[in-house]
Amino acid sequence: MNLLFICCAALLFSIIIAYGVHYLPRERWQMLAVIPTQKEENGTWHGANLTFYGFLIATSTVCSVLYSLILLQAASAPLTGVLAVVSLLFLICIPASRWVAGIVEKKQHTFTIGGSFFCGLLITPVLILLVNATWAWKKLPTMDIQIVLAAISIGYILGEGLGRLACISYGCCYGKPLRDCSPLTRRLYNRIAFVFNGNTQKAVYEGKLAGEKLVPVQGITCVIYTFAALVSTLLFLQSRFTEAFLLSLFVSQLWRIYSETLRADFRGFTKFSAYQKMSLAALPYGVLLTFLPVSTHQIVPSIEKGLMILSQPLPMISIQLLWVVLFFWFGRSTVTSSTLRLHVVHKHI
């Protein structure tokens, strides 16, 4: 059953990524909807843009949370404690995605998943210990910290992998032009390079790279992170929680350090960016977390038990509400605007 779950997940994610890397670089797939906000004297309207970036970020994050909850339920982690940790984590990490980007890049209207993850990694063990202390005082079941860390790290790397589809749609986190790369790199990526042409896509308005073949770093990240999440899931379901945590952590952070050398977007004012330094610091910190106390009894996860969470109203309704919050937080574009003209189609009256 565990192997069947991983194979089905691999097939689903492969289809999503294949369609995403094929269609999302096109200009058509940046804006999802426009909401008229203010009418002008000439009859036109100013509009607020809702982006596929926000839709895909919200969806990938919800998939990440649901995936982690399935794994934690499979390992018999107490649901109340898990939901408490996840809720506190999002209350910290969602604002941090903008705060860290503002500190590093000196911009108010951008986000960073890497910075948000680093904040989450630092605070997660504290949150788990805090919730466990509260739950123990209330005589409720507590959580195994290694299991929670493993499940959250797997969910994170899966969510960031699928979330890179949002970057493809918006044209952000873009790679270097192939013309500036070595001959080997040009041959390697020539057939799968991304090309952006929309005036409102970041690679065009910031990088001035309209029509250029770019290293498809976002798509590569999708594949590497999703594959690592699936392998880590296999380790988790074999009760190898520490290995699952370290694999997902090291793959995500080492690739982040290297992948920034393939990117052409602004990453701060230093050659070795603050995000790379955060990733580098996360590695020894993650290793230290594996020395925290673990449960003395053997836990064998069961994916059948994990999938039962899909029938529980509290986590499922909470996830849907989370999607709405994330969509409007990340999806309302503050760097683009619209002008609309509404009219009647008289031949249809």
Side-chain angles (χ1 to χ4, degrees):
M1 188 65 183
N2 291 345
L3 185 59
L4 178 62
F5 171 77
I6 293 174
C7 289
C8 290
L11 177 61
L12 175 62
F13 299 146
S14 298
I15 293 172
I16 292 172
I17 292 173
Y19 273 88
V21 298
H22 180 71
Y23 288 106
L24 290 174
R26 303 176 186 179
E27 184 179 5
R28 158 69 182 85
W29 297 99
Q30 184 184 3
M31 302 303 175
L32 173 64
V34 178
I35 301 175
T37 56
Q38 183 179 353
K39 191 174 183 179
E40 296 296 312
E41 293 181 359
N42 62 1
T44 62
W45 287 80
H46 284 296
N49 295 334
L50 301 179
T51 62
F52 275 102
Y53 179 91
F55 175 86
L56 292 168
I57 284 290
T59 303
S60 62
T61 303
V62 162
C63 287
S64 164
V65 173
L66 181 58
Y67 200 85
S68 293
L69 291 178
I70 289 173
L71 295 180
L72 289 167
Q73 183 86 348
S76 301
L79 183 60
T80 49
V82 167
L83 291 178
V85 169
V86 171
S87 299
L88 292 171
L89 196 56
F90 272 100
L91 286 175
I92 295 169
C93 290
I94 292 176
S97 66
R98 176 166 280 176
W99 296 339
V100 175
I103 294 171
V104 174
E105 302 178 40
K106 310 302 181 185
K107 296 180 180 180
Q108 297 182 354
H109 302 286
T110 189
F111 304 97
T112 169
I113 301 302
S116 177
F117 165 77
F118 185 70
C119 294
L121 179 65
L122 291 177
I123 199 65
T124 296
V126 177
L127 296 179
I128 296 172
L129 294 173
L130 177 64
V131 171
N132 272 347
T134 304
W135 260 238
W137 179 69
K138 294 182 177 181
K139 298 183 180 180
L140 295 172
T142 56
M143 299 166 286
D144 188 306
I145 191 167
Q146 298 292 354
I147 292 176
V148 177
L149 285 173
I152 289 178
S153 65
I154 293 171
Y156 156 73
I157 195 173
L158 175 65
E160 179 157 2
L162 296 177
R164 289 298 169 177
L165 296 173
C167 300
I168 299 174
S169 168
Y170 204 81
C172 59
C173 306
Y174 49 91
K176 293 179 177 179
L178 289 187
R179 56 177 164 78
D180 295 338
C181 298
S182 67
L184 176 60
T185 302
R186 288 199 295 269
R187 286 197 299 270
L188 185 61
Y189 297 125
N190 184 61
R191 298 188 63 181
I192 58 174
F194 289 152
V195 178
F196 299 101
N197 288 296
N199 291 330
T200 55
Q201 290 179 303
K202 194 172 183 179
V204 176
Y205 71 76
E206 179 188 76
K208 314 301 182 186
L209 295 170
E212 291 275 1
K213 286 189 172 183
L214 308 179
V215 176
V217 63
Q218 308 100 318
I220 299 170
T221 304
C222 279
V223 174
I224 291 176
Y225 279 17
T226 304
F227 181 74
L230 293 171
V231 176
S232 298
T233 300
L234 181 61
L235 293 173
F236 185 95
L237 295 176
Q238 293 174 347
S239 301
R240 299 164 65 181
F241 306 116
T242 300
E243 293 94 325
F245 168 63
L246 291 177
L247 176 63
S248 56
L249 175 68
F250 270 74
V251 169
S252 63
Q253 301 313 298
L254 288 176
W255 174 252
R256 179 177 293 280
I257 293 170
Y258 171 69
S259 66
E260 291 212 5
T261 65
L262 301 175
R263 289 170 60 169
D265 58 325
F266 180 72
R267 308 297 297 153
F269 298 93
T270 58
K271 186 173 181 180
F272 193 77
S273 75
Y275 301 119
Q276 289 173 301
K277 294 174 185 176
M278 291 178 196
S279 295
L280 191 61
L283 299 177
Y285 180 72
V287 172
L288 289 175
L289 293 180
T290 62
F291 291 97
L292 292 172
V294 298
S295 175
T296 55
H297 61 281
Q298 180 68 19
I299 297 174
V300 181
S302 167
I303 201 62
E304 296 98 319
K305 184 188 296 184
L307 292 173
M308 290 177 62
I309 200 168
L310 300 176
S311 64
Q312 299 186 35
L314 178 60
M316 300 311 296
I317 293 174
S318 299
I319 284 175
Q320 293 174 55
L321 293 175
L322 175 64
W323 187 94
V324 173
V325 171
L326 291 173
F327 174 67
F328 285 101
W329 179 266
F330 291 105
R332 189 184 184 283
S333 177
T334 57
V335 296
T336 66
S337 185
S338 301
T339 301
L340 306 176
R341 182 176 294 276
L342 307 178
H343 62 274
V344 175
V345 181
H346 291 281
K347 67 179 181 179
H348 292 169
I349 298 176

